[in-house]
């Protein structure tokens, strides 16, 4: 039930404003003692030629107040107080009835969304920045799908480009096959780094590398074979990570997928008179937009990253007819996307405006030890393993008897990392701090998961009691009385539960999963306030007890649904 809408409709019957204007004017009062909604009468003062206080008073006298506890004036504001019992009943029943789909809608129906995320580079380590795009993209995919959008998740692998010429040269000269077998990405990285060191001493190596890339682009068998090997080895590693993180893609069409689609794009750009010669390279000038030219072909004829992005966007439009084409990529590539989108627009594609770069910040570690194994590259498998191991330590200390400890540690440890990424506005830089992110209190993943497990344990407890025949008898016959949930804590908790959908809408509006993360933190806080004040299991009044149980059940449902949208699993015990 959309209470704001109801308020707006009641007002609409009495004033000469359209429903949207009214909805936009409605405010949430700063304190609970002032009710749940407030309508300011300033705007009406002009047309009605009356003081806003008087208007508020007039409206109060005329307005239909069914379903509200009361409607009061606060100076120029008309404030609405929900009938708490009715509100709680409606909300709790709705949540329990809708279950896993509570919070979902059909607003996206018929709209195709591309969410591009993760997109690591073949033969290079998957680093903390790639983890950032992976968790944001995964969450946006889930949020949008939940609201009915038809999503396609694309992993735009970095699997093409001149670096593969370098890698082929390096492979032919320096590879250690055993090492490649055991730790493929490390070995590929090692020889790639070596290539750069050697090429500094002997620049002719760069010509060799160019020659190999040329051969690769021409489809020469040996080079293609090696490239395939690099790609396959890397993908095996990446897919292990995706499995650990529970992340999936509908397509792995990376840069190489567009090799045979670039010619058409280049021709198209040329035919529109946009292709300009610049020191041998072919570029699109973007001076009038105050940005550097978009390079289409380098002076040696090789295509580049941007060329492939132009081909990719065009292909996506043709194949998926997207409503929005979303790129979850670090903010350091903002200029690149500006160049690509502007070029697409100059080519006459109106849909270029539907391409959206969703940038995010950088990641650092407070605890430097973690970043030292090899230079400043942070290895992700190590990061995840550590999170799980450290969580297991905490569990061993707090709850050594727990069953499935390893499984719980995995969900909570990895959840803690994902939560840290999605907790703040995505453009804010993150400083990882083990102690903070694994803590069971504070705004952390473990805190929310622990809240869920705690709520579940209440339900188990009352469930166990109800096995006693005498209580069971009473309980099955008794109806919950939601009017008895009349404490401040209960009303505030249910108000939070009711706000799930608007948190999701805000997340979609800003393409910002943190709106859901912040929301679930607030739900957990509100639940813990309730939990600290009220005891359920030894309540005598059965209809009150039953209402509380239902409220706890619906809290579990909402936490589960919300965590699911940010890619975190719940655990029943921890
Ligand atoms: N592979 C790139 C990197 O690791 C990210 C790709 C971003 N997506 C794109 N369509 N350009 O930095």
């Amino acid at each position: 039930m959309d209470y704001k809408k109801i308020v707006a409709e009641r007002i609409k019957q009495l004033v000469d404003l359209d429903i949207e204007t009214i909805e936009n004017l409605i405010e949430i009062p700063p304190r609970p003692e002032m009710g749940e909604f407030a309508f300011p009468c300033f705007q009406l003062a002009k047309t009605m030629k009356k003081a806003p206080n008087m208007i508020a008073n007039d409206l109060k006298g005329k307005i239909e107040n069914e379903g509200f506890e009361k409607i009061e004036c606060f100076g120029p504001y008309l404030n609405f107080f929900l009938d708490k019992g009715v509100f709680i009943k409606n909300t709790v029943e709705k949540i329990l009835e809708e279950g896993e789909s509570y919070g979902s809608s059909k607003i996206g129906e018929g709209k195709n969304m591309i969410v591009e995320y993760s997109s690591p580079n073949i033969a290079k380590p998957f680093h903390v920045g790639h983890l950032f795009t992976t968790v944001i993209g995964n969450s946006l995919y889930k949020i949008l799908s939940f609201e009915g959008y038809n999503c396609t998740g694309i992993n735009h692998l970095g699997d093409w480009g001149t670096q593969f010429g370098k890698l082929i040269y390096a492979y032919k000269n320096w590879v250690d096959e055993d090492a490649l077998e055991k730790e493929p990405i490390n070995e590929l990285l090692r020889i790639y780094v070596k290539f750069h060191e050697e090429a500094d001493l002997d620049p002719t190596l760069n010509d060799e590398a160019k020659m190999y890339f040329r051969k690769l682009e021409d489809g020469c068998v040996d080079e293609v074979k090696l490239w395939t090997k690099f790609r396959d080895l890397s993908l095996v590693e990446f897919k292990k990570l995706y499995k650990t993180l529970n992340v999936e893609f509908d397509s792995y069409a990376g840069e190489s997928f567009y090799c045979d689609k670039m010619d058409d794009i280049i021709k198209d750009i040329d035919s529109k008179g946009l292709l300009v010669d610049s020191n041998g390279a072919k570029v699109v000038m973007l001076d009038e937009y105050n940005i550097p030219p978009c390079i289409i072909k380098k002076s040696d004829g090789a295509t580049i990253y941007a060329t492939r992005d132009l081909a990719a966007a065009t292909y996506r439009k043709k194949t998926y007819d997207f409503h929005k084409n979303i790129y979850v990529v670090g903010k350091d590539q903002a200029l690149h996307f500006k160049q690509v989108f502007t070029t697409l627009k100059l080519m006459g594609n109106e849909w270029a405006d539907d391409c959206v770069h969703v940038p995010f910040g950088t990641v650092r570690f407070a605890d430097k030890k973690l970043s030292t194994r090899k230079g400043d590259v942070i290895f992700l498998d190590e990061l995840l393993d550590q999170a799980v191991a450290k969580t297991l330590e905490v569990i061993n200390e707090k709850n050594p008897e727990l069953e499935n400890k390893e499984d719980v540690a995995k969900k909570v440890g990895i959840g803690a990392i994902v939560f840290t990424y999605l907790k703040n506005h995505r453009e804010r830089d993150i400083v990882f701090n083990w102690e903070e992110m694994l803590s069971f209190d504070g705004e952390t993943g473990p805190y929310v998961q622990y809240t869920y497990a705690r709520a579940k344990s209440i339900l188990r407890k009352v469930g166990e009691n109800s096995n006693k025949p005498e209580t069971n008898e009473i309980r099955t016959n008794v109806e919950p009385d939601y009017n008895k949930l009349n404490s401040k804590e209960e009303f505030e908790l249910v108000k939070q539960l009711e706000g799930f959908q608007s948190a999701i809408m805000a997340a979609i509006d800003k393409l910002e999963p943190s709106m859901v993360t912040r929301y679930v933190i607030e739900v957990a806080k509100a639940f813990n306030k309730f939990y600290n004040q009220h005891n359920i299991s030894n309540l005598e009044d059965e209809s009150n007890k039953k209402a509380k149980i239902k409220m706890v059940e619906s809290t579990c449902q909402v936490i589960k649904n919300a965590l699911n949208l940010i890619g975190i699993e719940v655990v029943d015990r921890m």
Side-chain angles (χ1 to χ4, degrees), residues 116 119-121 130 156 158 255 305 309 327 329 333 336-337:
E116 187 215 282
S119 312
N121 300 318
H130 289 123
H156 186 82
E255 294 186 46
Y305 185 53
D309 261 325
Y327 297 81
V329 183
Q333 295 196 30
H336 163 75
F337 285 107

Side-chain angles (χ1 to χ4, degrees), residues 349-378:
N349 301 305
E350 281 310 313
W351 52 259
D353 294 336
D354 303 324
C355 295
V356 199
H357 176 210
V358 171
F360 53 83
T362 57
V363 189
R364 281 186 300 121
F365 279 78
D367 168 8
K368 288 221 190 62
K369 261 181 277 154
L370 213 121
S371 58
T372 50
R373 197 177 91 183
K374 253 204 200 86
D376 53 4
V377 180
I378 296 155

Side-chain angles (χ1 to χ4, degrees), residues 10 17 96 112 213 232 366 385 424 446 455 490 543 545 566 572:
R10 296 273 166 91
L17 290 173
L96 294 179
N112 299 329
F213 182 56
D232 290 349
D385 288 350
N424 293 312
E490 288 161 318
S543 63
K545 185 171 182 173
I566 52 174
D572 283 359

Side-chain angles (χ1 to χ4, degrees), residues 162 165-166 205-215 298 300:
T162 42
K166 298 176 184 171
L205 294 197
N206 288 315
D207 301 328
E208 298 268 330
K210 270 184 197 155
M211 183 269 294
Y212 281 123
F213 182 56
R214 173 75 325 145
K215 284 180 134 184
K298 292 202 284 195
D300 63 2

Side-chain angles (χ1 to χ4, degrees), residues 339-409:
Q339 291 170 312
V340 169
F341 301 163
T342 311
T343 302
L344 287 167
K345 190 76 190 274
L346 279 173
M347 291 168 70
N349 301 305
E350 281 310 313
W351 52 259
D353 294 336
D354 303 324
C355 295
V356 199
H357 176 210
V358 171
F360 53 83
T362 57
V363 189
R364 281 186 300 121
F365 279 78
D367 168 8
K368 288 221 190 62
K369 261 181 277 154
L370 213 121
S371 58
T372 50
R373 197 177 91 183
K374 253 204 200 86
D376 53 4
V377 180
I378 296 155
F379 283 77
L380 214 62
D381 38 1
E382 263 176 68
L383 174 71
L384 298 176
D385 288 350
Q386 283 224 33
V388 175
K390 283 175 190 280
T391 307
L392 196 56
E393 271 171 37
V394 180
I395 294 175
N396 276 330
E397 199 181 289
K398 289 200 177 205
N399 192 358
E401 302 298 309
L402 183 71
E403 278 175 52
N404 308 323
K405 265 191 274 190
E406 273 75 24
D407 185 51
V408 173

Side-chain angles (χ1 to χ4, degrees), residues 157-210:
L157 291 173
D159 60 359
W160 205 250
T162 42
Q163 72 270 28
F164 288 95
K166 298 176 184 171
L167 208 55
I168 292 172
Y169 179 91
Y171 177 88
K172 293 197 181 222
N173 287 281
W174 305 306
V175 81
D176 173 344
E177 287 285 354
D178 283 345
L180 188 65
E181 184 94 343
K182 276 194 218 105
E183 290 197 53
I185 295 186
N186 286 346
E187 178 59 7
L188 291 172
L189 180 66
R190 183 189 70 82
I191 62 175
Y192 185 70
V193 170
K194 185 168 168 73
F195 177 91
H196 284 274
E197 287 163 4
E198 299 286 330
D200 276 348
L201 304 172
D202 176 5
T204 64
L205 294 197
N206 288 315
D207 301 328
E208 298 268 330
K210 270 184 197 155

